[in-house]
Amino acid sequence: MKQRTNIVELARHLGLSVSTVSKALNGRSDVSEATKQRVLEAASGLGFSPDPAGRRLRMGSSETIGFVLSPPQAHFAQPFFLDLLMGIDQGLEKTPFQLVIVTARTVESEVESFHRLVERQRVDAVMFGRTRRDDARIQLLQDRGIPFVTLGRSETGDPFPYVDIDRTVAGRNGTARFIGLGHRRIGLLATPGYLMLSQHLREGYLAALDAAKLPFDPDLIVECDLSEEGGLKGARQLLSMKHPPMALMCGHDLIASGAMQAIVETGRRPGTDVGVIGCDNHPLGPYLNPPLTTFSAPTVEAGKRMVQLLLAHLDGRPVETLQEVWSPELILRASHGSAIGAQ
């Protein structure tokens, strides 16, 4: 260890979170006396001294934050992660930190990418998105005592900082919009089930059906790859049913784009014969035929906010104050259609 260490290195040495170490050093009552004593002894032995200008790790740190780009980049990165990275870069502009980007080729190999980032790059903290309900990446970082912030929630591990654009709101309000137009059989073309946002979208969809006292038909939910091809295949499956849905709630605009192609294949018209609503406000949406109704995804702003939350986390702010859920707004264009009987 260096003669003068910092709070991140101290936390790594102890196998604790930065937040816990900070609380212990400040004598907080929500940390056990045994942990406080352990932290104080390690701090003394390692030469830890808080930075009077604020614990932002300027002394003795790598001044590097890692970002892991989730697979598949072919569709995930354009433009969602590019916008997110733009916001992160803007957020880091006036800090001493630089950003290192690591890619994962497959979902299965992604944890190994985190291992490499933590062990070889010696980053001070990590940022990533597309969280999962059961997320090995979160468990790894918490086990190693690496500070991190995510775009998205998870049910894994201890509380951690995050910004989340709430898909529950999108699923509920999009489905309710269709119900208000007179639809009673509404299909859900969901994003991959391992993503936490897919769980939230489904919860919102079911909540809207329940509020309207409509029966739930599990055959109306199809899990799709996050791509146009995924939406095309999923919509073909729903539209070939004996009693097909005449409205499709889609977990992403790329899925919605493929769904609109499937509708045209059947000789019907998107937005006239079959309503379609997407999520994430992809740039292609306004140029589809008809223009796609969708939900906002302020990813540039989310990236900036993730940086602010991470810096606050490194400064020792309680994790519970660094968790934000944002409600997306419905962007009305034409693809959702009009009230049944009004076409």
Side-chain angles (χ1 to χ4, degrees):
M1 278 289 195
K2 299 180 178 78
Q3 185 175 3
R4 178 170 181 173
T5 190
N6 62 55
I7 197 170
V8 168
E9 290 169 331
L10 179 60
R12 287 176 180 167
H13 174 76
L14 291 165
L16 299 173
S17 70
V18 171
S19 177
T20 298
V21 171
S22 176
K23 290 176 183 178
L25 291 169
N26 287 293
R28 289 275 296 273
S29 60
D30 52 348
V31 178
S32 70
E33 290 302 321
T35 299
K36 289 178 187 176
Q37 186 62 31
R38 182 177 165 222
V39 170
L40 291 173
E41 289 176 357
S44 177
L46 295 172
F48 171 77
S49 178
D51 184 349
R55 293 183 288 269
R56 291 209 177 162
L57 316 178
R58 288 186 171 91
M59 299 300 296
S61 77
S62 67
E63 294 188 344
T64 301
I65 292 175
F67 183 90
V68 182
L69 185 63
S70 300
Q73 286 87 29
H75 291 291
F76 249 154
Q78 299 290 345
F80 176 85
F81 277 116
L82 292 181
D83 285 347
L84 187 63
L85 286 168
M86 183 184 302
I88 291 172
D89 184 63
Q90 291 174 10
L92 291 173
E93 186 176 0
K94 295 182 180 180
T95 77
F97 294 103
Q98 61 179 339
L99 187 66
V100 171
I101 301 173
V102 175
T103 61
R105 291 183 177 87
T106 65
V107 172
E108 293 73 21
S109 68
E110 193 170 5
V111 174
E112 181 57 33
S113 298
F114 276 75
H115 273 287
R116 292 196 306 271
L117 182 64
V118 170
E119 294 171 2
R120 299 179 188 177
Q121 297 284 352
R122 266 188 67 79
V123 296
D124 290 325
V126 176
M127 310 176 81
F128 61 99
R130 299 307 194 201
T131 50
R132 298 158 195 170
R133 189 172 188 174
D134 181 14
D135 203 316
R137 304 167 300 176
I138 291 172
Q139 196 63 61
L140 169 67
L141 294 172
Q142 291 190 337
D143 289 345
R144 297 295 182 88
I146 306 298
F148 66 94
V149 64
T150 67
L151 182 65
R153 288 167 281 174
S154 175
E155 297 177 0
T156 301
D158 298 323
F160 59 88
Y162 60 74
V163 175
D164 194 12
I165 301 170
D166 195 355
R167 287 299 181 91
T168 307
V169 172
R172 182 181 65 246
N173 292 356
T175 305
R177 167 69 58 169
F178 282 138
I179 292 171
L181 293 174
H183 294 284
R184 294 298 176 264
R185 285 181 59 78
I186 301 162
L188 177 64
L189 294 175
T191 43
Y194 64 84
L195 295 172
M196 193 69 204
L197 59 87
S198 303
Q199 174 72 18
H200 292 151
L201 185 74
R202 179 188 174 99
E203 289 173 356
Y205 169 82
L206 294 176
L209 294 181
D210 184 65
K213 295 182 170 52
L214 293 178
F216 166 57
D217 182 350
D219 291 336
L220 289 176
I221 298 181
V222 176
E223 183 180 319
C224 306
D225 290 337
L226 207 161
S227 65
E228 296 95 330
E229 182 66 20
L232 177 65
K233 291 179 179 179
R236 282 172 174 168
Q237 179 178 331
L238 289 179
L239 295 173
S240 66
M241 297 174 69
K242 182 177 180 180
H243 300 291
M246 291 294 99
L248 300 176
M249 181 67 218
C250 302
H252 193 275
D253 287 359
L254 293 176
I255 292 174
S257 176
M260 290 170 72
Q261 181 179 338
I263 293 167
V264 172
E265 287 179 352
T266 67
R268 285 170 279 195
R269 295 168 295 172
T272 301
D273 302 310
V274 182
V276 179
I277 295 177
C279 288
D280 275 2
N281 195 24
H282 193 286
L284 66 80
Y287 305 103
L288 294 176
N289 184 23
L292 181 63
T293 294
T294 187
F295 283 86
S296 63
T299 45
V300 174
E301 291 78 7
K304 293 179 185 177
R305 188 58 180 156
M306 287 171 71
V307 171
Q308 293 170 353
L309 295 181
L310 183 58
L311 294 177
H313 182 38
L314 296 175
D315 277 343
R317 282 263 306 277
V319 169
E320 292 75 13
T321 68
L322 305 174
Q323 299 174 330
E324 298 183 1
V325 180
W326 297 0
S327 292
E329 296 181 359
L330 181 61
I331 301 172
L332 291 172
R333 296 190 179 115
S335 67
H336 62 284
S338 54
I340 293 177
Q343 287 92 340

